[in-house]
Amino acid sequence: YEGTSGSVKTAGVCTPVFTTAPSVGDQIYLSLTAGEVTPTAPSGTAEYVAPVGIALTTTTMLIQVQLPIYLP
């Protein structure tokens, strides 16, 4: 958020903020909620599907960033 500091991790394992707890092996996507990720891919018109990792547990994920896909 503006005015706060943070860090960005681009590889390895992390403990992100999930909008919904994933099952082991779920593909993880950027959420429409700022700062969160989700096991549910966006599906609306004019949205981007941005895969960012795989769930290792219900609270951790392996980062595997892929190119986003635009949904026209």
Side-chain angles (χ1 to χ4, degrees):
Y1 298 101
E2 187 175 336
T4 61
S5 63
S7 63
V8 174
K9 191 168 186 176
T10 59
V13 176
C14 68
T15 305
V17 176
F18 288 104
T19 54
T20 303
S23 296
V24 174
D26 280 355
Q27 179 74 53
I28 304 299
Y29 305 91
L30 287 182
S31 174
L32 297 176
T33 303
E36 296 183 2
V37 294
T38 180
T40 306
S43 59
T45 302
E47 293 180 345
Y48 284 90
V49 176
V52 293
I54 301 290
L56 298 177
T57 69
T58 58
T59 59
T60 62
M61 74 174 221
L62 175 63
I63 299 169
Q64 293 182 329
V65 178
Q66 299 175 34
L67 292 174
I69 301 165
Y70 179 69
L71 303 175

